Amino acid sequence: MGPGDLAQALEPLPLRQDARLIVGRETFDDAGVFLLTDDLALVQTVDFFAPIVDDPFLFGQIAAANALSDVYAMGGEPLTAMNILAFPSEALPLSVMTEILRGGQDKVHEAGAIIVGGHTVVDDEVKYGLSVTGRAHPARLLTNAGARVGEQLVLTKPIGSGILATLAKRGELAPDLALALLASMRALNAVASRAALAAGAKCATDITGFGLLGHASHIARASSVTLRIRARDVPLLPGAHEHWASGKTGGASRNAEYLATLVQWNRDDPAMRALLVDPQTSGGLLVSVPPARLADYLSAVEGATVIGEVEPAGEIALIVD
Ligand code: CO
Ligand code: CO
């Protein structure tokens, strides 16, 4: 769902105060964090969606990388995962289900975690994802509220996966562009997360359904800062700029609508306007890195790119130059 509808639906629900809840739903963070002991916190998240690629194994890998990413985005280490699968068992062979689950398991194992169970329902449309549980040190978390003025904003994967996946679904994406897209969506954010903690970062989120600017706006609000983003520095997947107009999605318009009053656009660039709100699947981390440790971070994380900085809170959440 779009961030506007989600906020509206959740608004009437009372928040339950509990001193052990370190990160709850108020800040639109990637996962909930619950204090167990002074030096141990539980990190919990769930994510599932309909196939964005035809190959069931690849779909399983992407769905799992995407679900694990929310633990990494909090600075956590994934421990266990449970499958969630909706499957049309009358219409599709069970071997398809096995391949989806095999892809998911492959990524969970790559993350050093294990699958401990799951739940299936018969449904007309396939949907797959995982609920992931991880651990973190309560004093070493990456939250939306942790950005500090003067820090540099670093993005660890290129954007454009929503637009390109839409084209791929229609069979309109060249094979080399499809390969680059798949490689990006299957990649874990493990290194980006560990390097962020090592660099003393306190704030990160992963870029998924709300697009780069949607997730950036949650950081701006939770941290009470303004984020300045240089559109020309934002890394794009190959083909994304060329195809931005033909792969636009409903999710992108919902994101744009939500962001209408939150962004000051200093450049009239329709392609970048579309790409910066494009809903991503299994996107990279957006990390707010202390300037003194920026060089360390960039050398530790392949593909990491500086795209802007954190400024004192102005009248608007995001400025795009
Ligand atoms: Co997330
Ligand atoms: Co999520």
Side-chain angles (χ1 to χ4, degrees), residues 11-139:
E11 205 273 328
L13 299 177
L15 293 166
R16 182 83 176 248
Q17 300 300 330
D18 188 316
R20 295 166 298 175
L21 184 62
I22 307 176
V23 180
R25 68 170 161 89
E26 303 93 302
T27 49
F28 279 93
D29 264 281
D30 299 289
V33 183
F34 188 83
L35 189 70
L36 293 177
T37 66
D38 285 349
D39 56 3
L40 183 63
L42 193 64
V43 181
Q44 291 181 292
T45 181
V46 58
D47 241 303
F48 66 106
F49 46 72
I52 52 159
V53 294
D54 288 336
D55 183 299
F57 179 78
L58 291 177
F59 169 53
Q61 283 191 317
I62 293 166
N66 183 75
L68 290 157
S69 176
D70 277 329
V71 172
Y72 291 130
M74 302 306 294
E77 173 201 346
L79 295 174
T80 59
M82 305 194 82
N83 289 312
I84 302 147
L85 179 70
F87 193 78
S89 48
E90 309 277 285
L92 287 176
L94 290 177
S95 58
V96 171
M97 173 170 161
T98 303
E99 286 311 299
I100 293 171
L101 296 175
R102 193 194 306 280
Q105 179 167 300
D106 177 68
K107 281 291 154 183
V108 168
H109 289 175
E110 184 185 329
I114 49 168
I115 293 191
V116 295
H119 182 72
T120 54
V121 291
V122 176
D123 198 5
D124 293 341
E125 189 191 28
V126 172
K127 291 176 202 77
Y128 174 63
L130 303 103
S131 170
V132 184
T133 299
R135 59 184 283 167
H137 192 291

Side-chain angles (χ1 to χ4, degrees), residues 38-320:
D38 285 349
D39 56 3
L40 183 63
L42 193 64
V43 181
Q44 291 181 292
T45 181
V46 58
D47 241 303
F48 66 106
F49 46 72
I52 52 159
V53 294
D54 288 336
D55 183 299
F57 179 78
L58 291 177
F59 169 53
Q61 283 191 317
I62 293 166
N66 183 75
L68 290 157
S69 176
D70 277 329
V71 172
Y72 291 130
M74 302 306 294
E77 173 201 346
L79 295 174
T80 59
M82 305 194 82
N83 289 312
I84 302 147
L85 179 70
F87 193 78
S89 48
E90 309 277 285
L92 287 176
L94 290 177
S95 58
V96 171
M97 173 170 161
T98 303
E99 286 311 299
I100 293 171
L101 296 175
R102 193 194 306 280
Q105 179 167 300
D106 177 68
K107 281 291 154 183
V108 168
H109 289 175
E110 184 185 329
I114 49 168
I115 293 191
V116 295
H119 182 72
T120 54
V121 291
V122 176
D123 198 5
D124 293 341
E125 189 191 28
V126 172
K127 291 176 202 77
Y128 174 63
L130 303 103
S131 170
V132 184
T133 299
R135 59 184 283 167
H137 192 291
R140 286 161 54 83
L141 290 172
L142 303 169
T143 69
N144 283 350
R148 293 159 292 189
V149 172
E151 288 182 330
Q152 297 289 302
L153 296 170
V154 178
L155 182 64
T156 67
K157 284 186 193 177
I159 64 168
S161 61
I163 283 168
L164 295 173
T166 304
L167 286 173
K169 249 188 169 171
R170 300 203 297 245
E172 293 170 11
L173 194 65
D176 56 323
L177 300 183
L179 273 181
L181 168 66
L182 288 173
S184 175
M185 293 190 296
R186 290 158 72 186
L188 294 179
N189 284 326
V191 172
S193 172
R194 283 182 213 123
L197 292 175
K202 296 284 181 196
C203 169
T205 190
D206 62 342
I207 306 304
T208 53
F210 302 154
L212 175 61
L213 295 187
H215 291 283
S217 78
H218 292 151
I219 289 180
R221 178 191 288 176
S223 297
S224 303
V225 294
T226 287
L227 302 187
R228 183 178 288 274
I229 290 168
R230 291 182 298 274
R232 75 190 70 190
D233 291 343
V234 174
L236 301 176
L237 283 162
H241 196 266
E242 180 190 343
H243 293 296
W244 70 271
S246 42
K248 278 211 255 180
T249 60
S253 6
R254 284 191 290 276
N255 289 343
E257 197 181 310
Y258 172 75
L259 289 160
T261 58
L262 301 175
V263 187
Q264 175 186 317
W265 297 92
N266 289 343
R267 263 156 61 91
D268 189 23
D269 180 342
M272 284 315 291
R273 270 190 181 228
L275 287 159
L276 293 176
V277 301
D278 179 41
Q280 303 297 285
T281 298
S282 194
L285 296 189
L286 176 64
V287 187
S288 188
V289 183
R293 307 296 299 280
L294 182 64
D296 295 344
Y297 190 75
L298 296 177
S299 62
V301 184
E302 199 189 329
T305 310
V306 182
I307 63 162
E309 56 249 338
V310 182
E311 298 188 344
E315 276 172 18
I316 199 142
L318 305 173
I319 299 170
V320 179

